[in-house]
Amino acid sequence: MDKADNRAHEQQRVNYVIDEINKKAENLYSRETGLKEDVIELRKNFWEDVTVNLDEPDDVIETQASIKQQAELLSQKETIHGKIEDELKTLKKLKNSPYFGRIDFIEDSETKTEQIYIGIESLLDSDEKDFLIYDWRAPISSLYYDYSPGYAQYETIEGTVMGEVSLKRQFIIRQGSIKGMFDTGVTIGDHLLQQALGNNASTSMKSIVATIQKEQNKIIRNKGNQFLIVQGVAGSGKTSAALQRIAYLMYQYREVLNPNNILLLSPNPLFTSYIANVLPELGETNVRQTTFLDYLKDKAGSQMTVESPFEQMEYVLTGEKHTDYLVRMKSIDYKSGVEFKYMIDHFITGLNTQGIQFKNITFHGEVLISNAQISEYFYSLDPQMGVPNKMELVSKWLLKKIRRQQNIEKNKDWVMEKVELLDKEDYLNAYYNNQEEDEDDSSLEEEILRKVVVKRIFASIKKRIKQFDFVHVLTTYQTLFTKWTPKDMPEYWKEISEQTAANLSQKFLTWEDATPYLYFQGRLLGDHHDRSVRHLVIDEAQDYSAFQFAYIKHIFPYTRMTLLGDTNQAIYTYATEENPLFLEQQRETEKVTLTKSYRSTKQIVDFTKHFAPGDELIEPFNREGVKPELTLLYNETDLAGALVDSANDLRKNGHETIGIICKTSQESDMIFNLLKDKISVIQINEETYSFQKGLLILPVYLAKGIEVDAVIIPDASDRQYVKESDRTLFYTACTRAMHALVMIAQDNPSPFIEEAPGNEYVKIQ
């Protein structure tokens, strides 16, 4: 069969599959219509169909049963209706592009070759017997991603299936019509990738199921290790692969895994919004998503102010003239490492015998139980017992004392004043409770009302005791820096201690103190391990300190984790060799390295790899484009004009989303004020929650994980990017670009640019 016949034959099959989709959709529509009418009717006549009789106890029970039965019937029909809606959405997606791949496979024990078509969802024929389309996550679909024509195998629950792939074919199908068809080898063909990567940047990340590469498939289908570490160069598709991995896990373990069992830690709110559509595109509900900052803020509570990592970064980059800058940098360095964790552990061991600060428990301005009494009771307990266990015993002891006090307060005059302010409903309840006692005694009613008042008043005290609010965590933590002397004193410890104590007195936690403080709080009061999280995915993992990783492992001790990052983009000062991304493979850990960059053109990758911070191999995908441009200015007043001209030129070349990526928020503000009256611009800060097209201005640390059509670096001079610590910032900024990179420098360009050969970029003077 020649190429034209092949294509005609494949189009016939697409038409047949779409006919089957239409039939299934018609059937579902008719079922949906009937169900919708049933649901409306049930809601409308709910109470008419319920037998309501409250005269006798038996009648009340019958009424409750009738309401429950009617509610269950309504709920059942609404659930079925929801499932039909989901199926119809899937069919609508399949109708546009039913599948993207085909493999012909013959098992060793068989004589007949099976044609396997692969799409984003499975589809059975009208008899519900044979698969017209296999879900990309099905075991057999792994053949498509992992093998060239020839010997192949895949794993099932029953064991390994071996055989031979005789054909591997890719499709581009739009609106039910084949736009492209290619036979290919092990790598998903350049044709499909060229089309996907040559488009403009989107405001949201798209799924990559049609173009998953073999190395990405290894990430997606990994099952055996507690820790999967993915070191991927900029634009290697690590985040996309991780999201496909989540979809794969939810497909494989549907019976035991739900969206609440998976937690994704994103680098910032903008990125959370950027990736929000991927899982729904694949027919899965979005999993729990948050930033590590929000996670810590939630644990710290509203009484504490927590510095963001971006505020810390801004200080590091712009605060050199502050008198306390050196001390702060030493503090960041020390508190980011596990040595500080060991110091806290040692400090807590000492607190088992002395030093914990407690609060008075007061009521109406009087001390009910003093902090000295609480301390005396705590330290009278067995010192061999762990601190959190002793806190539990103290809590129970306090609750007993409070209950006794509650009984004393019940008979005081102030209670009757509160009784007079009770609602009518409270009086009725007291009356009915009195009737249950078979007495008509007004004094008993008064007793019941007094109990109601006192119980309510003391409820908040009891709640705070159960939450261990009688412990002064912050004050106790402060004593680590004011009254405690470490055995091995770190450099600048006296100055670090003074700086930290001053911040804590303002209830302010710097970013380097937030995790240690919450670790200390957990060790003191008892950590509540989040056992609901079965799988944790951490993106931009290179930006986490060693202490932060130790804390995460402490909070999620039984959780499988996928850590994604790029050591070339480790922009934070505390990125050290203790970061897991730098570690070699260990027990219970698998490390996958992605070396090929798909985001940027070959010209951009070839240019940026010369000043990449690490030694990792970086391979460009073969997508041609224009060389990066370096524009040299000799007059500062020309900057606004140069930026406007560059943006307009890039737009003329079809680039819709252009990022002016600055080193700091300070520079971002300056550029925004320079341009806002000259051209339409959108400024992005850490409070930005949605990604949009246009001319964007943002600091580099908020650009992590996203991509734009073109990047303009407004100050690529040697006064802005010169220190070795600036290398990762400059590399990260440049590698956000998909199609074009423009650098503007006043006077002398950054030395990093000059590390690339002159023929790798165009210099404009």
Side-chain angles (χ1 to χ4, degrees), residues 1 3-15 99 102 115 117 169 178 181:
M1 194 182 293
K3 194 172 182 180
D5 289 341
N6 258 329
R7 186 157 180 152
H9 176 74
E10 291 288 10
Q11 185 62 57
Q12 282 178 359
R13 188 183 189 277
V14 171
N15 297 342
Y99 41 82
R102 166 187 164 183
Q115 293 180 354
Y117 287 83
R169 180 169 289 167
I178 295 176
M181 189 179 93

Side-chain angles (χ1 to χ4, degrees), residues 71-110:
E72 283 176 351
L73 180 62
L74 179 60
S75 174
Q76 186 183 34
K77 288 189 178 288
E78 285 176 334
T79 301
I80 295 169
H81 183 265
K83 285 181 178 176
I84 289 173
E85 279 281 302
D86 290 341
E87 284 184 54
L88 283 168
K89 283 178 188 171
T90 298
L91 290 175
K92 187 178 179 182
K93 278 190 285 188
L94 289 177
K95 187 176 176 180
N96 172 47
S97 181
Y99 41 82
F100 52 80
R102 166 187 164 183
I103 46 173
D104 291 0
F105 181 70
I106 181 167
E107 288 185 39
D108 284 349
S109 57
E110 301 290 330

